[in-house]
Amino acid sequence: MSAEERIKKEIIQNFGHAYRAFGLNKLMGHVVALLIFSPEPLSLDEISQNLERSKGPVSQIMKRLRDRNLIRRVWHPTSRKDFYEIQPEIFENAFRNNFELIKSNTRLAKQLKATVNKEKSDNFDTLKLRLLEMQKFYELTEKHFDNFLSEWSVEREKIYSKSK
Amino acid sequence: MSAEERIKKEIIQNFGHAYRAFGLNKLMGHVVALLIFSPEPLSLDEISQNLERSKGPVSQIMKRLRDRNLIRRVWHPTSRKDFYEIQPEIFENAFRNNFELIKSNTRLAKQLKATVNKEKSDNFDTLKLRLLEMQKFYELTEKHFDNFLSEWSVEREKIYSKSK
DNA sequence: GTAATCGTTTGAATTTTTTCAAACGTTAAA
DNA sequence: TTTAACGTTTGAAAAAATTCAAACGATTAC
């Protein structure tokens, strides 16, 4: 096996683990790594072949990746096949996906707090305070996420303008 | 079922889903919610009983939660049992756990970039740039995480000093 | 209009994760 | 020293997620 192939395999494996750690499907990570690695868009067949999976699950994974804005479809004028490539803003988009989870936690905390506050019972004192803390925590998180994203767009621009 | 119990059940379910979305065991979320809800520390038996699980899996989950600094053990002078309560800094600690994942991604990007840069081949141009982007992205993330955590400790102090 | 080439869907098979009950070991009481 | 009360470990059972091969439907080529 060539050095290239070794590195490629390693990256693919690593991405699989990383995706897994974040609660996503390992195969999603593999596909993302493969596409990051590839200078050209790849077809469904090429991807299945490369990762040694059948078309079925790969097709499903491609849908999930598209839903998350991590990849996108492109078309060759000469071919009837779909081709896929990485979304240029993949890291930012992955981050946004997690951001959505954070936001849903904020909403959850607020909603729970509202429900609990309606109750007369004193038993909820500990909980009320905790839910307030939770809400504040996630609100602060959201603020910093926003800051991060605007700073990142500047940073990213720098990387790619240099490389031209 | 009383209003209290209803709310409690709902919170427990919600936490289960949230934990799941982040790639953790649902039962971990349930235990955390139960302990957040509880004004008093709970024993292993009480937790198993409350969540209708046997001691075995709960014992294992408690270990995982302790490893992640989300709960802690306390002892009653009068009882031989272990009791558990939420770590006061649970949100911060959960955040730190994710932070560790981010850091491992930074390390991964750096390491991959180093490996790839050693290669003479031109085939890696796309990949090199991507890995640079990835490294920068995660470095910026780390910076903002740090900012967040220091700001949060101030914010949290405010919440709990007010409540006294 | 028919055949060929796609991507997607589906139900079954496999693999992995979760869960349990029982056995085990340890500590404290009797 | 024995017994009782714990928490943890373990191997098997149950549940859930992943994966596949085949069927399907839609679109393009002939």
Side-chain angles (χ1 to χ4, degrees), chain A residues 15 19 24-35 44 47 51 57-73 84-87 90 93-94 97:
Chain A
F15 266 71
Y19 269 65
L24 300 172
N25 191 299
K26 208 152 61 167
L27 186 51
M28 286 172 81
H30 293 160
V31 171
V32 164
L34 182 63
L35 290 180
L44 191 69
I47 294 168
L51 301 177
V58 173
S59 167
Q60 290 168 331
I61 290 293
M62 297 322 265
K63 170 139 187 33
R64 291 177 63 183
L65 287 171
R66 263 183 288 132
D67 289 344
R68 289 173 173 267
N69 280 306
L70 302 181
I71 62 172
R72 66 184 183 192
R73 257 199 288 230
Y84 293 97
E85 66 181 16
I86 283 292
Q87 277 281 6
I90 180 175
N93 291 349
N97 293 334

Side-chain angles (χ1 to χ4, degrees), chain A residues 4 133 143 151 156 160, chain B residues 123 133 143 151 156 160:
Chain A
E4 281 183 36
E133 182 188 345
K143 196 189 97 187
E151 203 170 313
R156 183 170 190 279
Y160 283 93
Chain B
N123 293 352
E133 183 188 345
K143 196 189 98 187
E151 204 169 313
R156 185 172 188 277
Y160 283 94

Side-chain angles (χ1 to χ4, degrees), chain A residues 3-4 7 10-11 14-15 18 21-23 36-37 39 86-88 90-92 95 101 105 108 111-112 115-116 119 121 123-124 126-127 129-130 132-134 136-137 140-141 143-144 147-148 151-152 156 159-160 163, chain B residues 3-4 7 10-11 14-15 18 21-23 36-37 39 86-88 90-92 95 101 105 108 111-112 115-116 119 121 123-124 126-127 129-130 132-134 136-137 140-141 143-144 147-148 151-152 156 159-160 163:
Chain A
E4 281 183 36
I7 293 174
E10 192 189 334
I11 295 179
N14 277 322
F15 266 71
F22 278 103
I36 284 184
F37 189 86
I86 283 292
Q87 277 281 6
I90 180 175
F91 295 114
E92 183 181 329
F95 197 80
L101 283 180
N105 282 348
L108 174 61
Q111 179 206 316
L112 290 176
T115 313
V116 169
E119 297 296 319
S121 167
N123 294 352
F124 287 116
T126 318
L127 184 62
L129 206 53
R130 277 291 178 194
L132 175 64
E133 182 188 345
M134 186 172 162
K136 292 280 181 196
F137 180 90
L140 190 61
T141 309
K143 196 189 97 187
H144 280 264
N147 288 347
F148 170 84
E151 203 170 313
W152 170 246
R156 183 170 190 279
I159 297 170
Y160 283 93
S163 78
Chain B
E4 282 184 36
I7 293 174
E10 194 188 335
I11 295 179
N14 277 322
F15 266 71
F22 278 104
I36 285 183
F37 189 85
I86 284 292
Q87 278 281 4
I90 180 174
F91 296 114
E92 182 180 328
F95 197 81
L101 283 180
N105 282 349
L108 174 61
Q111 179 206 315
L112 290 175
T115 314
V116 168
E119 297 296 316
S121 165
N123 293 352
F124 288 115
T126 318
L127 184 63
L129 206 54
R130 276 290 178 193
L132 174 64
E133 183 188 345
M134 186 172 163
K136 292 279 182 197
F137 180 88
L140 189 62
T141 309
K143 196 189 98 187
H144 279 264
N147 288 348
F148 170 83
E151 204 169 313
W152 170 246
R156 185 172 188 277
I159 297 171
Y160 283 94
S163 79

